[in-house]
Amino acid sequence: KRGASTRADNDAESSSSPLNRNLQLITRACELPFTLQTVLCDDRDNIAVKVYPPPILSASCSSKQQQRRNNKKAITMLHVIPAPTSIVDLMWQYIQTKKQEDLETFANYHRRLQRDLSGNSSCSDGGVGEESSMDVILTKEDLKMNKKKRKEFALSILALVDASLPLFLLYAEERDQFTKLMAQFAKEDDKQSDNDHQTPKRQPSHLYPAEYLLRLFVKIPYLLSEFDLKKNNPASILLADEKTQDFARFLSELIVFIQTRVDECFAGNYQALEVDD
C-alpha cells in the first residue's frame, strides 16, 4: 500500500509540475476544430490513398494488348509546390490582420472611455470598468508589446515548420518530391545569390501550403516535449510560464484565424502522379 501510495503521489506531483502544466496548456491550444480536422483528413486521403484506373475491355484488342493497357500504375495526388499561398504568406496575413484588429480595439476602447468621461459616467457602473478587466489593449505600450510578441510567435512557428517538415510533416509519398524540389530550389538560389548576395535561401515555409501548418499543430506538443526540452534549450517555451501562455494564446488565435478563412487558406492545388504499386 505504501508503494502504491508513493507512486500515486509521484504521478500527481509529476502531472502538476510546471513543465507538465505548460505542456497541457499548449496541447489544449493545439486542438483543431472539426472544420480543420476535416481539411487535415481530406488532405491525408488525397495523398496517401492510391487510385487505380479502371481496366480497359475491348473485343478488338488481343489479350496481350489488353494486359499492357491494364498494367497502369496507381495514381496519387501531391501538392503543387511552390504553393500559390505559402505558410510564410499566411503568417504575414495573420500578423497584419491582427495588428489592424488591435488598432481598432485600442481606438474603440478610448472612444468609449472619452464618451463615458464626457457623460460623467463612473467606471464602476459597467462600461469602461467592466471592459478594462478583460483582455483590452489600454495603452500604446500594450499595442507595441502585442505586436512584438505576435511577431516572435510567428517566427517560432516558421522555425518549427522549417525544422520539422522534412522529418515529421511529410507522408511517404511526398518525400521524393521534397528531395527533388529542395535540390532544384537550392541550385536556383545559389545562382541568384551570385547576382545578389543578400538573397536568402528558400525554406520549406516559403514553399509549402497551409495544410502543412495543420500537420504541425498536431505535432507541436510532441516536438516541444521531446526535442526542445531534451536539447536543454534555455529559450524553451515550456520553461517559462509567460512564454507558454503567450504561445498558447497566439496559437489559439491563429487557429481561429485560419478556421474563418478556410476557402482562402486551403486552395486544394494538387497534381496527379503515377506511382508503383
Side-chain angles (χ1 to χ4, degrees), residues 220-238:
I220 280 179
Y222 170 77
L223 294 173
L224 293 182
S225 60
E226 292 296 319
F227 294 93
D228 203 26
L229 283 179
K230 288 185 177 180
K231 288 182 178 179
N232 296 320
N233 180 8
S236 173
I237 295 168
L238 297 176

Side-chain angles (χ1 to χ4, degrees), residues 30-269:
C30 288
E31 293 177 357
L32 298 179
F34 178 77
T35 308
L36 298 185
Q37 290 180 30
T38 301
V39 171
L40 200 56
C41 290
D42 289 345
D43 181 54
R44 178 199 62 200
D45 291 343
N46 285 335
I47 295 171
V49 177
K50 298 176 182 177
V51 177
Y52 294 87
I56 299 174
L57 301 177
S58 175
S60 62
C61 295
S62 66
S63 60
K64 289 185 177 180
Q65 288 175 327
Q66 288 189 16
Q67 185 177 5
R68 280 198 300 270
R69 289 188 179 185
N70 293 335
N71 283 340
K72 292 184 177 179
K73 294 183 177 182
I75 295 175
T76 189
M77 307 295 286
L78 295 178
H79 283 280
V80 175
I81 308 296
T85 302
S86 69
I87 294 173
V88 167
D89 296 330
L90 175 61
M91 296 303 294
W92 172 254
Q93 294 170 11
Y94 158 71
I95 288 175
Q96 294 303 308
T97 300
K98 290 304 174 181
K99 175 184 175 182
Q100 185 61 36
E101 289 180 3
D102 284 353
L103 289 170
E104 292 173 0
T105 300
F106 177 78
N108 290 337
Y109 173 78
H110 284 277
R111 275 197 296 267
R112 183 177 300 180
L113 176 64
Q114 195 67 30
R115 185 175 64 247
D116 289 345
L117 291 176
S118 64
N120 296 323
S121 174
S122 169
C123 285
S124 61
D125 64 358
V128 176
E130 180 181 350
E131 191 171 37
S132 63
S133 63
M134 300 169 62
D135 187 17
V136 178
I137 300 173
L138 303 178
T139 66
K140 291 182 179 180
E141 286 71 23
D142 294 331
L143 276 175
K144 292 179 181 179
M145 183 58 66
N146 230 27
K147 178 182 176 182
K148 178 183 177 183
K149 288 184 176 181
R150 190 176 283 118
K151 183 177 179 180
E152 291 174 349
F153 163 76
L155 292 174
S156 297
I157 290 293
L158 295 178
L160 282 171
V161 169
D162 292 335
S164 62
L165 188 141
L167 299 174
F168 302 106
L169 306 185
L170 295 175
Y171 295 114
E173 294 80 2
E174 299 174 301
R175 295 194 176 280
D176 186 55
Q177 179 198 41
F178 172 82
T179 302
K180 291 178 179 178
L181 286 176
M182 294 309 294
Q184 173 190 333
F185 291 134
K187 289 182 180 179
E188 294 176 1
D189 292 340
D190 288 341
K191 290 181 180 179
Q192 184 66 27
S193 63
D194 291 339
N195 302 323
D196 183 2
H197 297 290
Q198 296 181 347
T199 301
K201 291 188 177 181
R202 283 172 288 187
Q203 298 294 329
S205 57
H206 291 82
L207 305 170
Y208 280 78
E211 284 84 353
Y212 295 82
L213 198 54
L214 298 187
R215 300 185 197 181
L216 174 71
F217 293 157
V218 175
K219 295 282 188 181
I220 280 179
Y222 170 77
L223 294 173
L224 293 182
S225 60
E226 292 296 319
F227 294 93
D228 203 26
L229 283 179
K230 288 185 177 180
K231 288 182 178 179
N232 296 320
N233 180 8
S236 173
I237 295 168
L238 297 176
L239 292 178
D241 290 347
E242 184 178 356
K243 281 187 177 180
T244 299
Q245 291 165 8
D246 287 338
F247 190 89
R249 175 166 66 95
F250 290 126
L251 183 56
S252 297
E253 183 183 76
L254 175 59
I255 289 174
V256 172
F257 173 83
I258 296 173
Q259 184 187 14
T260 57
R261 294 163 176 80
V262 170
D263 293 337
E264 301 172 30
C265 295
F266 306 103
N269 289 318

